[in-house]
């Protein structure tokens, strides 16, 4: 299976616990899928490329064709932007039109599994920010296009309205064609909270924005096949082949040493 970004989806969807498993460092090799709104047939994806595989036809989208104009990638945690969208970001031309905003401060990324093991370092937020800066350097994002909201890690569900306001300000200023946010049914509460805040923010500004939902935690053990993408109607799934950018995505992911 060609390497591709972990998952992104186009949606003008409703506003609407912890993950089953963590993703390995080799996650950049996992084929990723785009979840999206299809208006009529495949006309929402003029950049589709059909490839024949052993099981039939697999469609690949050209990100440079379907993601034009200014773009905003909203990440709940520092590293989600690489895990879910790193290959897509690396594939896109004109990096000065790409903006990345992080919702949380990284204070619990990672956090010890049990209290008696110890606690997170007080320096972890600054460490994670430095790692994010290095990852975005690898992906080619201009420094002026990076924003850190610094909300408490693990507490976004208590700050949805507070997150919404700076996001709306960013969208009003940048006026993007697309905003990339976590999948609405993600398994991590911070991801679900950011989805809700971003949907409200995108609805509050005075121009239409195409919302793009990406997958971070797509493996669900209780589902047949263990993959949430397999229960989504195939006409809403688009795959981006990032085989030409997989090493760059790997280098960006490896910036997150902590």
């Amino acid at each position: 299976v060609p390497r591709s970004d972990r998952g992104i989806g186009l949606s003008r969807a409703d506003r609407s616990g912890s993950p089953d498993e963590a993703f390995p460092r080799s996650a950049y090799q996992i084929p990723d899928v785009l979840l999206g709104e299809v208006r009529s047939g495949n006309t929402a994806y003029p950049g589709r490329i059909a490839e024949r595989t052993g099981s039939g036809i697999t469609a690949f989208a050209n990100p440079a064709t379907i993601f034009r104009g200014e773009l905003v990638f909203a990440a709940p945690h520092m590293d989600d932007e690489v895990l879910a969208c790193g290959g897509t970001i690396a594939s896109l031309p004109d990096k000065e039109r790409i903006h990345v905003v992080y919702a949380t401060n990284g204070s619990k990324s990672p956090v010890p599994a049990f209290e008696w093991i110890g606690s997170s370092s007080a320096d972890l937020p600054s460490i994670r920010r430095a790692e994010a800066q290095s990852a975005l350097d690898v992906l080619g994002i201009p420094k002026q296009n990076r924003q850190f909201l610094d909300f408490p890690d693990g507490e976004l569900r208590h700050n949805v309205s507070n997150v919404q306001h700076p996001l709306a300000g960013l969208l009003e200023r940048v006026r993007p064609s697309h905003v990339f946010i976590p999948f609405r049914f993600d398994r991590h509460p911070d991801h679900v909270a950011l989805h809700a805040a971003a949907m409200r923010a995108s609805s509050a500004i005075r121009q239409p924005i195409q919302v793009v939902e990406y997958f971070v935690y797509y493996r669900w053990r209780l589902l047949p096949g263990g993959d949430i993408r397999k229960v989504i109607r195939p006409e809403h799934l688009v795959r981006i082949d990032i085989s030409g950018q997989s090493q760059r995505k790997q280098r960006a992911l490896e910036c997150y040493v902590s």
Side-chain angles (χ1 to χ4, degrees):
V1 179
R3 296 175 180 174
S4 56
D5 255 356
R6 174 168 294 186
I8 305 173
L10 301 178
S11 172
R12 293 298 293 180
D14 319 343
R15 301 176 182 78
S16 26
S18 60
D20 278 340
E21 65 178 285
F23 289 97
R25 285 287 177 179
S26 60
Y28 60 89
Q29 298 179 357
I30 298 173
D32 301 333
V33 181
L34 291 145
L35 160 71
E37 177 186 55
V38 179
R39 294 182 177 82
S40 175
N42 292 338
T43 57
Y45 305 107
R48 275 180 182 258
I49 304 169
E51 266 193 26
R52 184 170 296 280
T53 66
S55 58
I57 298 292
T58 298
F60 293 92
N62 179 354
T65 301
I66 64 174
F67 300 137
R68 299 179 183 274
E70 300 289 317
L71 307 174
V72 171
F73 290 81
H77 307 106
M78 290 169 260
D79 74 5
D80 288 327
E81 81 291 354
V82 179
L83 286 169
C85 312
T88 299
I89 293 173
S91 301
L92 288 165
D94 306 321
K95 296 295 193 292
E96 66 276 3
R97 66 191 178 95
I98 301 174
H99 305 258
V100 178
V101 55
Y102 299 101
T104 59
N105 61 6
S107 60
K108 296 181 180 178
S109 301
V111 65
F114 303 101
E115 291 183 4
W116 60 83
I117 294 177
S119 59
S120 300
S121 168
D123 296 329
L124 190 54
S126 60
I127 292 171
R128 294 294 286 180
R129 180 182 287 227
E131 291 172 347
Q133 297 281 19
S134 296
L136 294 183
D137 285 343
V138 172
L139 296 178
I141 305 303
K143 294 187 184 302
Q144 66 271 19
N145 290 5
R146 310 170 187 182
Q147 186 168 346
F148 298 83
L149 301 184
D150 288 329
F151 286 96
D153 204 341
E155 301 295 330
L156 281 191
R157 63 188 179 278
H158 303 306
N159 287 286
V160 172
S161 295
N162 293 331
V163 175
Q164 173 190 343
H165 298 304
L167 280 179
L170 174 64
L171 298 179
E172 188 72 47
R173 176 173 59 84
V174 172
R175 296 189 170 275
S177 60
H178 297 78
V179 57
F180 296 73
I181 65 176
F183 179 50
R184 70 194 78 171
F185 298 128
D186 198 300
R187 302 299 302 275
H188 194 297
D190 276 353
H191 296 203
V192 176
L194 180 58
H195 176 98
M199 290 301 294
R200 295 176 188 177
S202 64
S203 299
I205 68 170
R206 297 183 298 276
Q207 78 166 51
I209 298 177
Q210 181 69 68
V211 175
V212 182
E213 297 179 49
Y214 57 76
F215 299 95
V216 178
Y217 296 111
Y218 61 85
R219 294 198 181 278
W220 292 22
R221 292 176 180 173
L222 298 181
L223 289 176
D227 189 334
I228 184 63
R229 300 170 302 182
K230 293 182 179 179
V231 301
I232 297 172
R233 292 173 59 183
E235 64 267 27
H236 294 287
L237 295 174
V238 179
R239 183 171 298 186
I240 291 182
D241 179 10
I242 63 159
S243 54
Q245 298 292 341
S246 60
Q247 292 184 0
R248 191 173 182 184
K249 180 173 181 176
Q250 178 186 3
R251 291 199 306 273
L253 187 59
E254 289 173 347
C255 292
Y256 290 101
V257 178
S258 61

